Amino acid sequence: TLRRAPVTLSGYIETYYLYDFNKPLNNTRPAFAYAYNRVGEVNVNMGFIKAAYTDERLRGSLALMTGTYASANLASEPPVLRNILEAQVGVKISRHTNTWIDVGVMPSHIGFESAIGRDCDNITRSIMADNTPYYETGVKLSNQSKNEMWYFAAFLLNGWQRIQRIDGNTTPAAGTQITYKPSSAWFFNSSTFVGNTKPDSARQWRYFHNFYAVYKPSPHWQFTWGIDCGIEEKPMMRNKYNPWYSGAAVVRYGVSEKFAIAGRAEYYSDNHNVMVQVRAGQPFRAGSFTLNADYHFLPHVLWRIEARHMHSDIAVFERSKRNVRDNFFMTTSLSITL
């Protein structure tokens, strides 16, 4: 990281190798996995360069990225926009309170797992993280209390994980975020989204809520758990909705300053294929267990290894030209923070 006040230049590169014991012929993870989705090859999940400006009343950032995450997760955006990780500017609008307006492409306000691997307890992302926004575009009005216990934000957005709005859609989306940190041990987050994710001619309103909590009773232990639930209007049927929900829990133990282990359990239920499209009319219900180990060779160099087992109620994983219900794979990554 290079600093020349008030400008900071930074970078990040995360390489990975994923071995899938099912050996899918297309060397790609299922369509509902957007991060670390290439199989049997050394690749880059994400690499980015970021410039950030911060002073008392003004802030902004521009980050450009590449990698398989960008290729998979921004595939629906115009090609010229697919390498944008962040592009935002913010202005503090009050001299007496910590109130800001930020505009542009920014990290999502939903969920406890981000697009950047070093910030997550496990290498691969949960199904709930991969199928909620990693980024969003719009206007954010935020305020943090003077004692830093409370944070409030309201959003006017281009849509559900969109930079460019869907053609034919003229209805902006909205969201909220409330966080509460009563002590150094506890952190709570509540985030919402309301919006139409289709063209106006096929309007389907989506209502979504994410809640998670983090408990850190000691420097070694950290517990995180979260719940997502949403409903979306049925096609051409006003006031009738398809629901989905998911939950995940993560336990992390820091053995030493350099070494840590983490485990994650999750369950995802989408009976009407709102978020996960598999086979028409087939409900998607799946769970997974993940075990992860981290080792810092240097403060800015992180090596990780992970084993993960997934099970679905229907056969959605590929093995030897046929579909099966179970999937076991291992992933290793090496990242450097610049």
Side-chain angles (χ1 to χ4, degrees):
T1 302
L2 298 176
R3 292 184 176 86
R4 188 172 181 179
V7 177
T8 301
L9 297 177
S10 60
Y12 177 75
I13 302 172
E14 183 182 25
T15 60
Y16 73 98
Y17 178 85
L18 188 152
Y19 184 82
D20 190 328
F21 286 81
N22 284 358
K23 298 181 180 179
L25 296 179
N26 62 358
N27 295 324
T28 304
R29 299 281 303 134
F32 54 81
Y34 295 93
Y36 312 90
N37 68 335
R38 293 293 297 169
V39 173
E41 63 188 30
V42 176
N43 218 314
V44 176
N45 181 61
M46 177 184 287
F48 69 80
I49 298 175
K50 179 177 178 178
Y53 177 93
T54 306
D55 66 20
E56 216 173 281
R57 300 291 301 278
L58 182 66
R59 64 189 181 192
S61 63
L62 175 64
L64 301 178
M65 66 175 169
T66 189
T68 58
Y69 159 83
S71 298
N73 208 52
L74 284 82
S76 61
E77 304 288 355
V80 71
L81 302 177
R82 292 176 187 171
N83 298 105
I84 297 177
L85 178 63
E86 290 182 31
Q88 59 179 319
V89 61
V91 178
K92 188 177 182 181
I93 60 174
S94 172
R95 292 183 179 274
H96 307 291
T97 63
N98 195 16
T99 304
W100 291 77
I101 289 181
D102 295 275
V103 182
V105 183
M106 59 193 77
S108 171
H109 70 288
I110 294 171
F112 60 83
E113 293 178 292
S114 75
I116 302 172
R118 70 183 178 201
D119 299 332
C120 302
D121 291 331
N122 302 99
I123 299 181
T124 59
R125 306 295 180 266
S126 62
I127 304 172
M128 63 189 288
D130 264 343
N131 292 276
T132 50
Y134 283 118
Y135 67 91
E136 56 199 12
T137 308
V139 181
K140 175 175 69 173
L141 174 65
S142 63
N143 173 267
Q144 188 168 43
S145 63
K146 289 184 178 181
N147 60 10
E148 298 186 350
M149 290 177 61
W150 290 94
Y151 172 84
F152 303 91
F155 301 82
L156 188 64
L157 302 170
N158 288 352
W160 177 271
Q161 189 166 263
R162 300 290 304 188
I163 297 178
Q164 180 172 291
R165 189 184 295 179
I166 297 173
D167 290 344
N169 182 305
T170 63
T171 53
T176 63
Q177 183 178 22
I178 301 173
T179 71
Y180 176 53
K181 189 176 182 180
S183 67
S184 60
W186 283 99
F187 179 85
F188 300 92
N189 179 94
S190 173
S191 299
T192 66
F193 173 91
V194 178
N196 167 38
T197 63
K198 306 293 191 300
D200 292 352
S201 58
R203 184 174 299 175
Q204 292 175 245
W205 285 98
R206 178 177 296 176
Y207 304 90
F208 177 84
H209 181 243
N210 158 255
F211 174 84
Y212 71 87
V214 181
Y215 177 52
K216 193 171 184 178
S218 73
H220 294 285
W221 287 99
Q222 178 173 292
F223 303 86
T224 306
W225 59 94
I227 298 174
D228 286 356
C229 56
I231 57 173
E232 183 175 273
E233 280 186 313
K234 294 184 177 182
M236 311 304 292
M237 298 178 69
R238 295 289 179 260
N239 300 318
K240 293 186 178 181
Y241 298 90
N242 290 323
W244 79 96
Y245 66 90
S246 59
V250 182
V251 178
R252 185 179 189 273
Y253 178 69
V255 180
S256 66
E257 290 186 2
K258 289 188 174 184
F259 181 61
I261 56 176
R264 180 182 64 212
E266 66 166 326
Y267 181 75
Y268 198 97
S269 177
D270 185 2
N271 289 336
H272 304 280
N273 305 135
V274 178
M275 301 306 303
V276 179
Q277 286 77 38
V278 281
R279 299 174 188 171
Q282 292 288 317
F284 177 77
R285 294 187 293 267
S288 80
F289 294 95
T290 307
L291 184 62
N292 192 91
D294 296 351
Y295 184 77
H296 283 273
F297 288 107
L298 297 168
H300 58 288
V301 179
L302 175 62
W303 174 70
R304 320 182 83 177
I305 187 168
E306 177 190 276
R308 184 174 179 185
H309 176 263
M310 304 182 73
H311 175 81
S312 173
D313 282 3
I314 60 173
V316 297
F317 305 107
E318 179 190 339
R319 181 195 296 161
S320 302
K321 297 183 179 181
R322 63 189 180 92
N323 293 324
V324 296
R325 296 183 180 185
D326 290 278
N327 187 207
F328 180 74
F329 56 97
M330 297 190 69
T331 312
T332 185
S333 72
L334 183 66
S335 65
I336 180 171
T337 302
L338 307 172

